[in-house]
Amino acid sequence: MGTSVQVTPLCGVYNENPLSYLVSIDGFNFLIDCGWNDLFDTSLLEPLSRVASSIDAVLLSHPDTLHLGALPYAMKQLGLSAPVYATEPVHRLGLLTMYDQFLSRKQVSDFDLFTLDDIDSAFQNVIRLTYSQNYHLSGKGEGIVIAPHVAGHMLGGSIWRITKDGEDVIYAVDYNHRKERHLNGTVLQSFVRPAVLITDAYHALYTNQTARQQRDKEFLDTISKHLEVGGNVLLPVDTAGRVLELLLILEQHWSQRGFSFPIYFLTYVSSSTIDYVKSFLEWMSDSISKSFETSRDNAFLLRHVTLLINKTDLDNAPPGPKVVLASMASLEAGFAREIFVEWANDPRNLVLFTETGQFGTLARMLQSAPPPKFVKVTMSKRVPLAGEELIAYEEEQNRLKREEALRASLVKEEETKASHGSDDNSSEPMVIDTKTTHDVVGSHGPAYKDILIDGFVPTSSSVAPMFPFYDNTSEWDDFGEIINPDDYVIKDEDMDRGAMHNGGDVDGRLDEATASLMLDTRPSKVISNELIVTVSCSLVKMDYEGRSDGRSIKSMIAHVSPLKLVLVHAIAEATEHLKQHCLNNISPYVYAPQIEETVDVTSDLCAYKVQLSEKLMSNVIFKKLGDSEVAWVDSEVGKTESDMRSLLPMPGAASPHKPVLVGDLKIADFKQFLSSKGVQVEFAGGGALRCGEYVTLRKVGPTGQKGGASGPQQILIEGPLCEDYYKIRDYLYSQFYLL
Amino acid sequence: MASSSASLKRREQPISRDGDQLIVTPLGAGSEVGRSCVYMSFRGKNILFDCGIHPAYSGMAALPYFDEIDPSSIDVLLITHFHIDHAASLPYFLEKTTFNGRVFMTHATKAIYKLLLTDYVKVSKVSVEDMLFDEQDINKSMDKIEVIDFHQTVEVNGIKFWCYTAGHVLGAAMFMVDIAGVRILYTGDYSREEDRHLRAAELPQFSPDICIIESTSGVQLHQSRHIREKRFTDVIHSTVAQGGRVLIPAFALGRAQELLLILDEYWANHPDLHNIPIYYASPLAKKCMAVYQTYILSMNDRIRNQFANSNPFVFKHISPLNSIDDFNDVGPSVVMATPGGLQSGLSRQLFDSWCSDKKNACIIPGYMVEGTLAKTIINEPKEVTLMNGLTAPLNMQVHYISFSAHADYAQTSTFLKELMPPNIILVHGEANEMMRLKQKLFTEFPDGNTKIMTPKNCESVEMYFNSEKLAKTIGRLAEKTPDVGDAVSGILVKKGFTYQIMAPDELHVFSQLSTATVTQRITIPFVGAFGVIKHRLEKIFESVESSTDEESGLPALKVHERVTVKQESEKHISLQWSSDPISDMVSDSIVALILNISREVPKIVVEEEDAVKSEEENGKKVEKVIYALLVSLFGDVKLGENGILVIRVDGNVAQLDKESGEVESEHSGLKERVRVAFERIQSAVKPIPLSAS
């Protein structure tokens, strides 16, 4: 039997909820993706919480909330402690996305699901891989090799290949086969016949994808139309994913057309995002790296886009039409929501959605047809406390501090007593000391007390309190004192000082304003008010999601033709549709499990390994076919010294086998081949090929999709007895290898 | 990376004569420094590492010995880093030879390669016929170069390779190549010491079978980096504090960036120096700064962390200088200028004007080529010759502080001890240094299992690897795991260096290949009764079944369950069968038979009564044939007793029992050959069985 593989969805099946799947390979549990939605609905994570502690490794595929949003929370609250694997951009941009989420949330609510520190610590231990890096797991996962490959949806976005014993499990969601400005298309089609493919049916029903040029034209026309009449354009975007493509489109268009309308990119982390993206050229499309190699033009050196990190900068910007790209795409939080509320009632303005909003969010509501005339929006804001509230708050804080101090001093006293319990005499001065200090300095006492006590750590055996004393005995031998050379080595302190000096903040850069916001401990509170917003601005949705459409998905899966297929992440209809399609055309093993339903996709493929003995191989004559070579072997099983099965040549003559014709005949190619040999050929009706005057050749039987479940090819050649017939038959034979 | 702690297991590889031959031939950099180029060949795959030119020669003489190999046979060319002696003959090799394989280098290397070579073409003042390539060739070569990221595994024609950080310069890589399970590590230039911006060379996760390693530093030991840097900054600080000027002649790329980082940081920590300007006077370095500002990911964690605050390659205290005309030499300053050897150009101009003032200082930051002025002044002569031919006293202080990023002896020996490769090939080192290193390494690996080789240019090192060929039997064939003695038959599919055995009808399931059946139908003109055909066929073939065609209701015959003969119409007979050699043969004989009926030639009559006799005759014939064939194969074949054939070859005797096919001989090679030959002869003389098992 092959490697055991089980797939258990934890979130994101039969709907568009965030993605999170448990894939267990021979008992090693992978959590693939760890997503959350923009509403941070904890109920979605319940299945995850039940298995979090048993997870051995986490693989992340894309740097957005839907794919990694729950990571900090799961690490902090759910007991997830496995190493995380991701590509460098997914790690970095994912971190920034989470910062942006947190800061946007913190602005409008008392957000307490996770803190910035939790984000930092969750991302601190990410093991970063490059595309096609075969990473060999060790320990429990010995023998498993993981490798991320280009997905084409977001910068650094990966499809994951997990290999054990030569069997591939491929996880590919949200891939895009089309090359974009900043990304290469996915390499999914380079995998052939994996044991298991886990993929999404998200776009299975979506077919009318317009050509890129036309779409870009419409996109830019719509924007310029609104700008020219004096309107503003808002593009609600994600923090660091698809927005990069939009920025490039706008940037390019602006420099071609010489537009002077300002473009603003507004998120809490916009400038760091672009700074990092500038150093990620290795991960981008060939054309971008090529242009850098030849002219050193970094595509993300944005000349027309102004990066903003707070709303005041936008408010202070010169009035007039402008384009603003702001997070979050869902309009549930962040600058985009504020701006939407401000701009919605002006009919000249445009809100341009570039992706389908998450289910149940404001963006989704606005994308419904027909768009709502009014929306009810709860606007919340964090304001500093003032007046009586502030005083009350301060009093409360002081009271808490005092209590804390008192408790601490009591604890200390207890400890001191305990440690000196055996010897009352010696401890007495200490106790008195504490008390006096306490009395004198009042609430500031504990601090002093700590210092005093710190100086007098009594060892358990000590008679009286004393400063720590270390017996400095040195060892001597015949040649004098023994010297430890390490004591005399000059440490690399000097260089590290610089690093500490500059780079103490290991966890990524925050913009100054953001930092101030983060460090801002001024007492504040959140006030909310409900408004009815009249939506009179134009609402347009265009597809810049960067995912393959239904038809491409089908042909891609057909090309990959996995032995078993698991479908996830799509509404029920799409899942069902794709499932039926695949059952009919690709594989009889298609699964679409429910949440927490475990499907066993262990391949029933039998396999064993044998050694090919030199004796056997010296008699085998290979025939080359494409990039592989084939031969027929007749052999007898033997054993090697290391008790491994080995194949030896048959001792007598091998019994004859049924001959096999190997090869893949393409009628069109064959036609060319024949005409190059001077045979007159033409296509007759019904896919038949008429060769010479009388002979016809055709493929019969079901012409299944390539590599699909179709059997061997059936070719029919017929004609009257004549020389031509035998000539053409010989040509036909030459296209095959007879084994 | 977390994997560095993974245990390294030494691969047990008995090196014996039988096995596949692996050849390593340095085409350049064999017992010399410069024009790195190492050719490797194993199991029909050919790889070239690096493609440099020798900086001391010009024209064709500077090229590696490409004549030794057939460029069109090279599958993959791997470039470790952008230095001239590792990459500069690439445009020539790509554009002027028959090479049509694939070329790989890292992103940063590719970006700098173009700038560096373009500059190289401009500054090398050689005659037109000596020009190996021009700017156009460089631009064309850019399209052919593919990029590879660190650790990314790429497979070309079954050759798997990936690269590790080498630490030498930005983008420098060590390549690990895996051909059929035999691993070869080519280090290129590497350094195991982490510096200000580069990571130290990684320790590969797997131990290679062969390690091709540089030996530039020989048995030298480097001064600790910390001390070097302190000397460097101290000299500069004291010189500028006394109002002197500091000249640092340096090569534009590589170490220069490291020195600039040191200076910028030192200035940042010493506010009293802020009014003293630092310049780097190299248009090339200025151009490459964008590359350094971008490929932060190829650098060490220190830089990456600094990057979190601001790009460390955006210098705060250092400014570029385009030419000496823009330089306002009014007071103390620090200038880093090219060329590094003080041959000409800006560094020489500054040297000429500063050398006679004893307040000034010149720091030589690395290895200098013999014959350059920089090398001369290290010995602190009293006078120097200026560019205008006059002599001037050399009063300025000259300091030699090596920032070379080549592994020193300590690094090399620990690196090799960790890896424990069974074969070590030293390249890229001066011959004497290399021999010293070899001697010293021998003392480090006293067990005698480690071979250390120092081939000269074009001298091949041959090794033999008995690579085990493992196949995986899958699908229906593997439903039952066979025991010793069971037969396994199926299609063996080889892709790259992996083998799979499968049943023919599952070929399309497990591979991209597919099988086909070809059905043939021919019509033959025939006028006459169908019964005649039937009668004749029955005379000749053992099995002829009559039936009627379901669709047309016409009579049909099936011969040997292979060929269907049908009466299509009054005038035609059709034959239908699915192709394979035996069926084709049967159908041919049927065709001949049908044609003969219409021609009424003498009948074919089976002489049944002679059946027994003819069998005997047949047996005799077979024996004759066997004998004749054996004679033609082995020469001296004599008929012995009891039907035993005695075969003598070169004094060795083999006895062959014709009945059982058993062979007895003291010489195992002969025994095996006779056995195989006899088997084949037997299968050839046997009648073809009509029924496929």
Side-chain angles (χ1 to χ4, degrees), chain A residues 88 127-128 130-136 165-166 192-193 275-276 278-283 290 292-294 296 298 490-492 494-495 498-499 501-503 505-506 508-509 563 605-612 614 617 619-620 622 625 627-639 644-645 647 650-653 655-656 659-664 706 708 710-721 725-726 729 732-733 736 738-739, chain B residues 1-3 107 110-111 114-115 142-143 147 149-153 195-196 205-206 225-227 265 269 287 290-291 294-298 302 304-310 466-475 477-496 499 501 504 507-510 512-524 577 579-581 584 588 591 595 672 675 679-680 683 689 692-693:
Chain A
E88 178 82 37
I127 296 164
R128 285 158 280 180
T130 52
Y131 283 143
S132 331
Q133 175 180 356
N134 291 330
Y135 187 89
H136 297 254
D165 294 336
V192 179
R193 299 245 123 216
D275 274 349
Y276 274 113
K278 269 192 264 184
S279 73
F280 287 145
L281 291 193
E282 291 104 311
W283 302 84
K290 200 169 199 169
F292 181 75
E293 278 153 10
T294 46
R296 297 180 314 287
N298 196 321
I490 300 164
K491 298 267 171 14
D492 275 352
D494 267 36
M495 78 170 276
H501 191 68
N502 294 322
D505 174 21
V506 187
R509 172 168 9 163
L563 299 177
L605 183 72
C606 310
Y608 61 85
K609 279 194 172 163
V610 286
Q611 194 212 359
L612 300 167
E614 284 296 324
M617 292 312 283
N619 289 334
V620 170
F622 279 107
L625 246 174
D627 54 356
S628 45
E629 292 168 65
V630 289
W632 181 274
V633 282
D634 282 309
S635 58
E636 192 190 65
V637 177
K639 284 257 157 109
M644 168 102 189
R645 260 178 229 98
L647 294 185
M650 286 289 246
S655 56
V660 191
L661 286 175
V662 182
D664 190 6
K706 195 201 163 295
S710 67
Q713 292 183 65
Q714 302 267 350
I715 293 156
L716 178 69
I717 171 166
E718 56 185 338
L721 184 68
Y725 179 85
Y726 288 97
R729 191 179 75 174
L732 180 64
Y733 281 176
F736 292 99
L738 182 77
L739 293 175
Chain B
M1 288 274 137
S3 60
H107 288 89
K110 190 179 177 190
K114 183 182 177 252
L115 295 169
M142 285 297 279
D143 297 333
V147 283
D149 207 347
F150 290 103
H151 303 119
Q152 181 187 352
T153 308
D195 65 18
R196 224 150 261 267
Q205 209 178 347
F206 311 100
R225 209 195 82 196
H226 173 80
I227 298 174
E265 200 180 297
N269 294 337
K287 281 185 203 156
V291 180
T294 302
Y295 291 114
I296 298 291
L297 290 186
S298 305
R302 198 183 118 88
R304 288 204 222 180
N305 293 338
Q306 283 185 26
F307 183 73
N309 292 308
S310 70
N466 200 353
S467 53
E468 238 178 27
K469 295 182 187 79
L470 283 180
K472 203 166 141 190
T473 313
I474 49 173
L477 279 182
E479 271 167 18
K480 194 180 132 284
T481 315
D483 295 322
V484 174
D486 287 359
V488 174
S489 298
I491 293 184
L492 179 64
V493 179
K494 177 187 175 196
K495 195 171 180 191
Y499 296 87
I501 301 175
L507 191 67
H508 69 279
V509 179
F510 300 115
Q512 280 162 293
L513 303 167
S514 53
T515 53
T517 53
V518 175
T519 310
Q520 306 193 35
R521 189 153 73 207
I522 54 172
T523 48
I524 308 163
W577 72 98
S579 296
D580 70 67
D584 285 359
D588 284 352
V591 169
L595 292 177
E672 187 58 29
R675 198 184 59 75
E679 245 170 45
R680 288 192 182 155
S683 58
S693 58

Side-chain angles (χ1 to χ4, degrees), chain B residues 14-238:
Chain B
I15 297 162
S16 55
R17 280 270 134 186
D18 43 74
D20 298 294
Q21 190 188 43
L22 188 150
I23 299 176
V24 176
T25 317
L27 305 180
S31 296
E32 65 171 353
V33 179
R35 58 170 153 185
S36 279
C37 188
V38 178
Y39 166 80
M40 196 204 94
S41 167
F42 183 55
R43 292 186 68 173
K45 309 290 174 194
N46 303 306
I47 297 175
L48 207 58
F49 296 107
D50 277 342
C51 209
I53 65 167
H54 203 299
Y57 308 126
S58 66
M60 293 295 238
L63 288 177
Y65 296 91
F66 289 137
D67 305 348
E68 286 292 307
I69 52 158
D70 172 13
S72 63
S73 72
I74 303 287
D75 297 289
V76 184
L77 170 51
L78 304 172
I79 304 289
T80 55
H81 65 278
F82 56 73
H83 275 155
I84 297 284
D85 61 333
H86 289 260
S89 62
L90 187 58
Y92 175 86
F93 196 66
L94 286 177
E95 301 300 324
K96 312 269 164 91
T97 68
T98 54
F99 173 74
N100 59 359
R102 295 170 66 179
V103 192
F104 290 89
M105 55 173 77
T106 60
H107 288 89
T109 305
K110 190 179 177 190
I112 297 177
Y113 157 85
K114 183 182 177 252
L115 295 169
L116 191 64
L117 286 201
T118 315
D119 187 67
Y120 173 78
V121 168
K122 274 187 204 143
V123 300
S124 60
K125 299 181 191 88
V126 288
S127 56
V128 179
E129 56 266 29
D130 262 1
M131 285 283 278
L132 293 168
F133 50 85
D134 54 23
E135 230 182 299
Q136 231 181 347
D137 293 324
I138 299 172
N139 290 338
K140 269 193 256 167
S141 76
M142 285 297 279
D143 297 333
K144 295 186 185 166
I145 298 170
E146 292 169 69
V147 283
I148 179 171
D149 207 347
F150 290 103
H151 303 119
Q152 181 187 352
T153 308
V154 178
E155 190 171 340
V156 178
N157 298 341
I159 307 167
K160 267 190 246 168
F161 57 91
W162 59 94
C163 59
Y164 297 101
T165 324
H168 176 63
V169 287
L170 182 68
M174 307 191 283
F175 280 97
M176 180 78 96
V177 176
D178 181 324
I179 303 176
V182 174
R183 296 204 188 94
I184 301 99
L185 178 72
Y186 178 78
T187 63
D189 292 355
Y190 78 107
S191 165
R192 291 273 289 153
E193 187 180 43
E194 178 160 329
D195 65 18
R196 224 150 261 267
H197 69 296
L198 294 171
R199 257 179 279 180
E202 281 170 276
L203 193 67
Q205 209 178 347
F206 311 100
S207 173
D209 296 290
I210 302 170
C211 183
I212 307 174
I213 193 166
E214 66 138 331
S215 45
T216 323
S217 302
V219 293
Q220 288 172 31
L221 290 175
H222 291 333
Q223 217 171 24
S224 116
R225 209 195 82 196
H226 173 80
I227 298 174
R228 279 188 332 238
E229 282 183 13
K230 183 146 170 44
R231 274 179 64 201
F232 180 69
T233 49
D234 282 355
V235 166
I236 291 173
H237 198 150
S238 62

Side-chain angles (χ1 to χ4, degrees), chain B residues 614-629:
Chain B
S614 69
E615 208 157 274
E616 241 170 59
E617 260 173 31
N618 270 344
K620 269 188 189 156
K621 234 185 249 170
V622 165
E623 266 181 40
K624 264 188 194 165
V625 171
I626 291 175
Y627 182 77
L629 283 170

Side-chain angles (χ1 to χ4, degrees), chain A residues 540-597:
Chain A
V540 177
K541 187 183 160 228
M542 285 186 176
D543 170 36
Y544 276 93
E545 281 181 33
R547 291 185 175 98
S548 291
D549 63 344
R551 224 178 52 193
S552 320
I553 287 177
K554 285 174 197 159
S555 69
M556 197 86 84
I557 297 177
H559 186 92
V560 173
S561 62
L563 299 177
K564 298 196 175 181
L565 186 64
V566 180
L567 296 176
V568 295
H569 200 236
I571 50 167
E573 297 94 80
T575 311
E576 207 46 48
H577 171 82
L578 192 62
K579 183 175 174 178
Q580 281 313 320
H581 172 85
C582 295
L583 277 174
N584 295 337
N585 294 296
I586 290 150
S587 161
Y589 305 104
V590 182
Y591 305 90
Q594 297 285 353
I595 284 190
E596 292 198 283
E597 175 192 342

Side-chain angles (χ1 to χ4, degrees), chain A residues 502-523:
Chain A
N502 294 322
D505 174 21
V506 187
D507 306 302
R509 172 168 9 163
L510 282 172
D511 305 277
E512 272 172 42
T514 315
S516 74
L517 183 121
M518 200 172 76
L519 301 171
D520 186 7
T521 46
R522 269 181 304 157

Side-chain angles (χ1 to χ4, degrees), chain B residues 229-242 244-248 259 262-263 266-267 273 276 278 333-334 361 363 399 401:
Chain B
E229 282 183 13
K230 183 146 170 44
R231 274 179 64 201
F232 180 69
T233 49
D234 282 355
V235 166
I236 291 173
H237 198 150
S238 62
T239 310
V240 292
Q242 291 163 21
R245 298 160 177 86
V246 182
L247 172 66
I248 309 168
L259 297 178
I262 297 174
L263 287 175
Y266 191 76
W267 250 240
L273 295 172
I276 293 165
I278 311 176
S333 60
V334 180
I363 301 176
H399 300 268
I401 306 169

Side-chain angles (χ1 to χ4, degrees), chain A residues 453-474:
Chain A
I453 290 174
D454 275 355
F456 292 97
V457 177
T459 52
S460 57
S461 61
S462 71
V463 202
M466 63 187 283
F467 283 103
F469 171 72
Y470 303 105
D471 195 9
N472 233 347
T473 51
S474 46

